[in-house]
Structure formats: C-alpha cells, structure tokens
Amino acid sequence: RDFWMAGFGFALEDVHLWPFAFDWGTEALKYFKDQRDICYAYLMAAMLNGHWNKAAAFHAEFTPHPTNAQENAVEIMLLLSQGKQPTLHLGVAEKQCSEAFMQFYRRLLTGNNGNAIRTINDHLEGMEACLPSASGLIRQALKTTQTHAVG
C-alpha cells in the first residue's frame, strides 16, 4: 500500500503527471478499495483530471467519511462541484481544512481547470459556513481580479 501512496505523492505534484495519477489510482483501487488514503488520493486524481462525475460516483459508493483536513477539503470541493452543501467534519479544524482546500484550488488553477474553478466560485456561499477562511480568500482574489480587469 505504501508503494501505491508513494506513486500518488509523486504524480499529484506535477500537472504533467496527473493523467498518470488517475490511471495509477484506477489500478490501486483494484487492490485497496477499502483503504481511506487510497480512496482520497484517487478522488483527488480524478478531480484534477476533470473526471468529476467518476469522482462523485466513487465518493457516493465507496469513500468513508473524512477524518483529516485534506480528506475533508477534497470532499468539500467535490460536494461544491455538485451544488451540494458541504460540512466540516467533527475533529477537523477549519484553518487546516481551509489551507488544504486552497492548496487543491491552486492545483486546479495550475492545471487550467476553468470549469471546475467557475463551479467552485459560483458556489462560494455554500462554503461560507464550513470554510469561511478559504471562501474569504477566494472572494478577495475574485474582487481584486475584477478591480484590475475593469481598471
């Protein structure tokens, strides 16, 4: 299992390797569908590659509830992409989850995932209650961008 997670760690760090990360995850799930870290790494790889519907279907069927900030951030992003109301899970700190969310959001920006970014931006109000820090940062960035675009 550690071998599979090492592969995810390597591939998810480089936008050019994201397709490999998705293929890697698809293969890893054949052996480790019951492993929380494998499930969330697969979700991340699927979402970064634009396979949001596959990620949503997998999440609904197999993914356990998140237990840490990174897992919760992945779930929040997935739920927002579906227009669903996300929650901050018990034991997960808002500040750490907001940081993890913003790291993932930056990856989407790096990969030019414009549709995903627009969807997240359109559903910021759904994120305000659980991740006010992250939603505030995104709102501030959008406001700054709009100000510079007009000026």
Side-chain angles (χ1 to χ4, degrees):
R1 185 184 72 69
D2 292 340
F3 172 75
W4 290 97
M5 286 307 297
F8 273 123
F10 176 72
L12 290 172
E13 291 301 316
D14 185 339
V15 67
H16 299 98
L17 295 177
W18 289 352
F20 169 78
F22 179 71
D23 292 342
W24 185 260
T26 301
E27 193 65 26
L29 288 176
K30 292 178 183 177
Y31 309 101
F32 299 105
K33 195 176 272 187
D34 62 336
Q35 297 293 311
R36 171 185 310 283
D37 51 355
I38 298 282
C39 290
Y40 278 95
Y42 169 78
L43 284 177
M44 186 178 281
M47 292 159 64
L48 289 172
N49 281 283
H51 302 300
W52 292 82
N53 290 336
K54 287 182 182 181
F58 179 80
H59 178 264
E61 191 171 345
F62 297 108
T63 309
H65 289 293
T67 60
N68 62 49
Q70 184 173 4
E71 292 173 358
N72 206 165
V74 169
E75 181 182 77
I76 288 169
M77 189 161 295
L78 183 60
L79 292 173
L80 286 173
S81 76
Q82 299 171 322
K84 295 180 180 177
Q85 182 63 43
T87 58
L88 189 64
H89 285 272
L90 188 62
V92 177
E94 189 277 336
K95 183 176 177 3
Q96 285 78 23
C97 193
S98 280
E99 289 171 3
F101 185 92
M102 292 307 298
Q103 287 173 352
F104 195 8
Y105 187 86
R106 284 185 201 98
R107 285 182 178 177
L108 289 172
L109 288 170
T110 300
N112 284 328
N113 281 304
N115 289 337
I117 292 295
R118 275 188 293 284
T119 300
I120 301 304
N121 293 347
D122 289 346
H123 291 94
L124 285 179
E125 68 281 348
M127 195 171 102
E128 299 257 338
C130 65
L131 294 183
S133 299
S135 63
L137 285 171
I138 295 170
R139 284 192 192 284
Q140 183 179 17
L142 291 172
K143 184 178 178 180
T144 301
T145 303
Q146 291 170 346
T147 300
H148 289 289
V150 174

